[in-house]
Amino acid sequence: MIDIRGWVPGIRTVTTYKVSWLPRDLVAGIVLTTLLVPQGMAYAELAGLPAITGLYTSILCLLAYAVFGPSRILVLGPDSSLGPMIAVVLVGSLGAGADPAEAVALASALGLLTGVLLVLAGVAKLGFLADLLSHPTQVGYLNGLALTILVGQLPKLFGFSVDGEGLIAEAKGFVEGIADGKIVPAALVIGLFGLAVIVGLRLWLPRVPGVLIAVVLSIAAVPVFGLEDRGVDLVGSLPQGFPPFTVPAFSFSDLGVLAAGALGITLVSLTDTISTASAFAARTGQEVRGSQEMVGIGAANVAASFFQGFPVSTSGSRTAVAEQAGARTQVTGVVGAVAISLLLLFAPGLLRDLPQPTLAAVVIAAALSLADLPAMTSLWRRRRVEFGLAVAAFLGVAVLGVLPGIGIAVGLSVLNVFRRLWWPYQAVLGRAHGVSGYHDVSVYPDAERMPGLLLFRFDAPLIFANARVFRDRIREFARTEPELKWIVVAAEPITDVDTTAADVLEELDQELNEQGISLVFAEMKSRVQEKIVRYQLTKTIDPEHFYPTVEDAVAAYRQQTGAEWNV
């Protein structure tokens, strides 16, 4: 019998809820709302959509995740990392300056497609797809995304707009706008003020809601300083009430752009959700249920798409705010959704005087939090190859755009895995003074070698991609090592041998036998050795040439040859 509570965790939350948790969840929900409203509006505009859609999206995704999401504390909503991706899809399909209604419809279709992909991935237990973005490529991608967002918001912060698409075009338009004297001084002042408040409080008083304070002070400054008369654009009154239920519709010609965008957004959402869920689960002692997380965030996207919403993801910053405010369950998110709904129903004019440069400051502050320059520095110090991967991912996003950038990031991650399999680390081993066991002679150059014996370690599964690399290295030893009798492969790192590698091993062993050299294996895992037997390689490779340890192989060689160690 299917346990419906496993697929609908909200039932478990209701049946196990303790009344003592309610005060904390209520307070945390109200505190969370102060962040959800301005960020939701700002990230909607970042995606090229009306600000109000950010609130619609926040309401529905919070309610849906409360029903289908497994985490007691994660908070979903419009996200700064998804905004540029959504904007790219809208521009790619509708072009710049599209009708807002058409943009909302297409964004809803994108949310529906993304949600369906996430739900299907969750049902199929494909959480491992999050691993397609390695840490170095994530760092490079997010840094490129941060720069793209920052440059795209600078004109709005300075009080004007540009028509360029992409980082280079937007940067050029921004510089030209400054040169042409388009700066609105009052807009720049209020925008920089909001940015200083948000960033300053984040650094020195992280528990204080800097976004809320910046929004409230900016709204208060509008009538006091007459900012609207000074050319500062305002949000204006929001539509009153709730959007009608609308089935997302799109034309067949849009399917290609939507599918590409949905795949990219799905991967980013999945990576963000798994990493954020893991981080907070470790702090609260909960278990991460990756497949159900995908179902939960997928349901959130689907629900939002039917009410003029757009794709959403997990937010680390909003989750942290909820946790700090004392949130115990997803009731916190429900309280936030209800509070936003009440705002739309009874006080839609409350944010009328919110300056657009302040929203730009909110987005820029989020972009700065995405950037991770210390991680780039760390990669440079620790491993230059992975630093190069991060730089390539950064340039892919910055130069080619967000969607191509994530494609490059995924491609680089996969190629890096393949590179490690293709050219794995290889080492000749020797006996180092004062250290037990056998070690890499490149690390211990004074390590002893035994005449006629070569100890070799190959740090990868032996498969079609690297079998010939293994063969060529062994052939090189046979050609260059004087009076070689045994080549002992320290096979502990070899976790697999496929049929292609088996054929190569058979050919190689016959070739070595003709030269009077024995191919010997030590520390081979039992499952790998079973495959060797199944491939019938023991007809060629002497079954006695498999030893449980390298020490046993060395002892057998010494017994047969009488050889002793020397330098």
Side-chain angles (χ1 to χ4, degrees):
M1 184 176 180
I2 298 176
D3 182 9
I4 191 173
R5 292 182 301 177
W7 291 101
V8 187
I11 296 177
R12 190 185 304 275
T13 299
V14 172
T15 56
T16 61
Y17 194 80
K18 297 180 180 179
V19 177
S20 60
W21 294 345
L22 186 58
R24 290 189 177 186
D25 281 339
L26 286 173
V27 171
I30 298 301
V31 172
L32 183 62
T33 303
T34 64
L35 187 62
L36 291 171
V37 172
Q39 282 194 346
M41 296 172 66
Y43 297 160
E45 294 198 342
L46 176 62
L49 298 165
I52 185 65
T53 60
L55 302 186
Y56 297 157
T57 302
S58 298
I59 294 170
L60 270 301
C61 75
L62 289 171
L63 293 176
Y65 188 81
V67 176
F68 295 99
S71 172
R72 286 182 171 271
I73 195 171
L74 284 188
V75 178
L76 269 63
D79 189 68
S80 58
S81 63
L82 300 188
M85 301 177 71
I86 299 169
V88 167
V89 173
L90 299 183
V91 171
S93 182
L94 302 176
D99 178 69
E102 292 181 353
V104 170
L106 196 65
S108 296
L110 181 62
L112 177 60
L113 188 55
T114 301
V116 170
L117 288 176
L118 282 164
V119 170
L120 291 176
V123 172
K125 302 186 183 302
L126 300 180
F128 66 88
L129 291 175
D131 298 332
L132 288 178
L133 277 176
S134 66
H135 177 66
T137 52
Q138 282 186 55
V139 170
Y141 169 77
L142 290 176
N143 278 310
L145 189 61
L147 180 62
T148 300
I149 294 173
L150 175 62
V151 172
Q153 292 296 307
L154 283 177
K156 188 175 176 180
L157 186 74
F158 279 64
F160 63 93
S161 60
V162 298
D163 296 328
E165 298 174 17
L167 177 67
I168 296 175
E170 289 179 340
K172 180 181 178 183
F174 173 65
V175 173
E176 290 176 347
I178 293 178
D180 294 339
K182 293 182 179 180
I183 298 176
V184 178
L188 179 59
V189 170
I190 195 67
L192 290 177
F193 169 77
L195 183 61
V197 170
I198 297 170
V199 175
L201 290 177
R202 179 189 295 167
L203 291 175
W204 294 301
L205 297 172
R207 291 184 177 272
V208 177
V211 172
L212 174 64
I213 292 176
V215 166
V216 171
L217 293 179
S218 297
I219 291 175
V222 171
V224 172
F225 298 102
L227 297 183
E228 188 172 12
D229 296 333
R230 296 175 182 269
V232 178
D233 291 333
L234 306 179
V235 169
S237 296
L238 301 175
Q240 187 171 19
F242 207 68
F245 177 86
T246 306
V247 177
F250 58 91
S251 65
F252 183 78
S253 61
D254 294 327
L255 184 58
V257 176
L258 287 174
L263 285 171
I265 291 171
T266 296
L267 184 58
V268 172
S269 297
L270 179 58
T271 304
D272 281 349
T273 299
I274 297 300
S275 60
T276 304
S278 300
F280 282 93
R283 291 160 59 173
T284 59
Q286 298 179 39
E287 181 182 351
V288 177
R289 296 169 55 194
S291 297
Q292 185 61 37
E293 285 293 357
M294 285 186 281
V295 172
I297 192 173
N301 276 280
V302 171
S305 72
F306 286 109
F307 293 90
Q308 300 183 20
F310 51 87
V312 299
S313 182
T314 304
S315 169
S317 61
R318 278 164 281 184
T319 302
V321 167
E323 182 190 46
Q324 291 171 4
R328 300 301 300 270
T329 69
Q330 284 298 328
V331 170
T332 295
V334 174
V335 172
V338 171
I340 298 173
S341 300
L342 293 176
L343 170 68
L344 294 177
L345 289 172
F346 302 110
L350 186 64
L351 299 174
R352 191 196 77 82
D353 288 342
L354 177 59
Q356 290 284 357
T358 301
L359 288 182
V362 172
V363 175
I364 289 173
L368 294 176
S369 68
L370 288 177
D372 194 349
L373 296 181
M376 293 290 283
T377 304
S378 175
L379 288 173
W380 171 262
R381 291 197 313 266
R382 294 162 60 188
R383 191 161 186 172
R384 300 291 170 84
V385 171
E386 296 196 346
F387 173 79
L389 291 175
V391 171
F394 169 82
L395 293 176
V397 175
V399 177
L400 299 179
V402 178
L403 287 180
I406 193 170
I408 289 173
V410 171
L412 289 173
S413 295
V414 173
L415 286 175
N416 189 37
V417 173
F418 188 72
R419 178 189 64 83
R420 293 179 181 180
L421 286 174
W422 195 357
W423 296 304
Y425 187 77
Q426 305 165 49
V428 173
L429 308 180
R431 189 176 69 171
H433 292 288
V435 184
S436 60
Y438 301 94
H439 302 277
D440 188 346
V441 297
S442 66
V443 178
Y444 295 90
D446 296 329
E448 295 177 327
R449 300 273 304 277
M450 187 173 289
L453 174 68
L454 185 131
L455 304 179
F456 174 59
R457 193 183 70 220
F458 191 79
D459 291 352
L462 198 54
I463 59 174
F464 70 96
N466 58 31
R468 287 168 180 79
V469 174
F470 177 88
R471 179 197 63 191
D472 293 345
R473 189 67 190 276
I474 297 294
R475 282 177 174 174
E476 181 184 352
F477 292 142
R479 186 175 62 253
T480 59
E481 292 287 329
E483 300 181 359
L484 189 60
K485 296 183 178 66
W486 275 27
I487 298 177
V488 176
V489 179
E492 195 274 336
I494 300 178
T495 55
D496 190 20
V497 174
D498 69 8
T499 55
T500 301
D503 292 340
V504 170
L505 284 176
E506 183 176 14
E507 176 187 342
L508 179 62
D509 187 60
Q510 292 174 348
E511 183 179 317
L512 292 174
N513 288 339
E514 293 174 359
Q515 301 176 53
I517 301 173
S518 297
L519 185 61
V520 179
F521 294 89
E523 299 182 355
M524 178 172 282
K525 299 180 184 299
S526 58
R527 290 187 177 181
V528 179
Q529 193 165 343
E530 288 171 4
K531 292 182 179 181
I532 294 291
V533 174
R534 188 164 67 248
Y535 298 153
Q536 298 184 345
L537 284 180
T538 50
K539 291 182 178 180
T540 304
I541 302 176
D542 189 341
E544 295 184 1
H545 283 172
F546 291 88
Y547 293 92
T549 67
V550 176
E551 288 81 0
D552 290 332
V554 172
Y557 176 77
R558 292 180 62 189
Q559 183 178 4
Q560 288 188 23
T561 65
E564 296 294 337
W565 290 102
N566 62 19
V567 179

